[in-house]
Amino acid sequence: MPHSNYDLSKLARFLHLPEAQVRKLAERGDIPGRKHKGEWFFAREEIHHWLERKIGLSDAQELSDVEGVLARNAVEEEPEISIAALIPEGGIEIPLHAKTKDSVIRSMSHLALNTGLLWDADKMIEAVRKREELHPTALDIGVALLHPRRPLSSILGETFLTLGIVPRGIPFGGGFDNLTDVFFLICSTDDRIHLRVLARLSRVLTVPGFLEKLREQPDAQSARELIAETEKTVGSGK
């Protein structure tokens, strides 16, 4: 089988679960996998998207557990994940002047371009549009976590985030009366880092009262300070 696959034992080690539990999850169809000559194999890309969905559906404790698993699998030189630190200077726009789904995608991509860490806004726009067509990234809390289906390392200087908040919620495919007003664009250089950033950001978003306070912030600096203070309450990102 291709080297991009996990076998049962490797996936069990990656997820820090007993092999018997991973086998049971696979047999029930709770985790994407397939048998080849009687042995289970799991495509890395499918496991990545499974974890993505799991993160999106998890509560605070489950998110903490997922982040712990991902942190334990981080390579030694990977730094601690900090959402506040990953948002570069110029990476927050309040208010974000966009009134449609497509104008949000374009505005967020150009915001990323203006940080100097994204080199091709058009490619990012196209990739995010395709991801949204595949499955909307809007959550039922009025937040969308925009990102390409796969990391675009060739057009990124490093992993970073941008944040935009529109004055009024717009239809974006999620809940919250079907309106979304807070948008993060996740620009990751590889799948592993993407999952760690997604888990960390999701933990911050679940802190009681955080989103209400974020929506009240008048400018980029106050929003960044709120994110940094909130991160302290959820502990380390590694």
Side-chain angles (χ1 to χ4, degrees), residues 54-65 67 83 139-141 143 145 184 198-212 214-215 230-231 233-235:
K54 184 175 176 64
I55 289 168
L57 296 171
S58 296
D59 61 24
Q61 183 56 55
E62 290 168 335
L63 285 170
S64 178
D65 294 342
E67 187 178 31
I83 299 304
L139 307 174
D140 61 6
I141 53 176
V143 180
L145 307 180
F184 286 91
L198 189 61
R200 184 67 175 172
L201 178 55
S202 297
R203 287 191 70 194
V204 172
L205 293 173
T206 61
V207 172
F210 168 72
L211 276 174
E212 290 81 358
L214 183 63
R215 292 183 171 105
T230 304
E231 279 196 276
T233 70
V234 299

Side-chain angles (χ1 to χ4, degrees), residues 15 18 21 30 109 125 135 150 160 163 169 172 195 224:
L15 296 176
Q21 185 175 347
D30 292 336
S109 297
I125 291 167
H135 193 280
R150 295 301 306 274
F160 69 100
L163 164 63
F172 214 83
L195 287 172
R224 184 189 301 278

Side-chain angles (χ1 to χ4, degrees), residues 1 5-6 26 31-36 38-43 46:
M1 297 294 286
N5 288 347
Y6 293 104
I31 190 169
R34 57 189 57 82
K35 274 189 173 180
H36 178 73
E39 299 293 330
W40 279 103
F41 290 91
F42 309 86
E46 291 180 358

Side-chain angles (χ1 to χ4, degrees), residues 19-51:
E19 285 189 30
Q21 185 175 347
V22 175
R23 182 182 292 107
K24 185 179 293 186
L25 288 169
E27 290 172 347
R28 291 196 313 229
D30 292 336
I31 190 169
R34 57 189 57 82
K35 274 189 173 180
H36 178 73
K37 297 182 179 178
E39 299 293 330
W40 279 103
F41 290 91
F42 309 86
R44 288 179 185 272
E45 184 173 351
E46 291 180 358
I47 293 300
H48 170 89
H49 290 299
W50 173 75
L51 280 168

Side-chain angles (χ1 to χ4, degrees), residues 11-154:
L11 182 59
R13 288 197 299 273
F14 176 74
L15 296 176
H16 294 268
L17 294 172
E19 285 189 30
Q21 185 175 347
V22 175
R23 182 182 292 107
K24 185 179 293 186
L25 288 169
E27 290 172 347
R28 291 196 313 229
D30 292 336
I31 190 169
R34 57 189 57 82
K35 274 189 173 180
H36 178 73
K37 297 182 179 178
E39 299 293 330
W40 279 103
F41 290 91
F42 309 86
R44 288 179 185 272
E45 184 173 351
E46 291 180 358
I47 293 300
H48 170 89
H49 290 299
W50 173 75
L51 280 168
E52 231 181 30
R53 290 192 299 273
K54 184 175 176 64
I55 289 168
L57 296 171
S58 296
D59 61 24
Q61 183 56 55
E62 290 168 335
L63 285 170
S64 178
D65 294 342
V66 170
E67 187 178 31
V69 167
L70 294 170
R72 287 193 293 274
N73 284 292
V75 296
E76 193 169 313
E77 63 270 20
E78 282 181 17
E80 178 177 326
I81 297 295
S82 164
I83 299 304
L86 283 171
I87 303 176
E89 192 68 30
I92 301 176
E93 190 163 328
I94 301 175
L96 182 72
H97 295 293
K99 297 181 179 180
T100 66
K101 184 172 186 175
D102 196 61
S103 64
V104 165
I105 293 172
R106 286 187 281 106
S107 295
M108 291 297 291
S109 297
H110 282 287
L111 180 61
L113 181 71
N114 291 339
T115 69
L117 297 174
L118 170 67
W119 305 322
D120 192 327
D122 289 339
K123 282 189 178 180
M124 181 62 71
I125 291 167
E126 180 183 5
V128 172
R129 280 175 179 158
K130 288 181 177 179
R131 174 64 176 83
E132 291 296 324
E133 289 169 1
L134 180 69
H135 193 280
T137 59
L139 307 174
D140 61 6
I141 53 176
V143 180
L145 307 180
L146 307 174
H147 59 272
R149 190 163 186 262
R150 295 301 306 274
L152 300 177
S153 57
S154 63

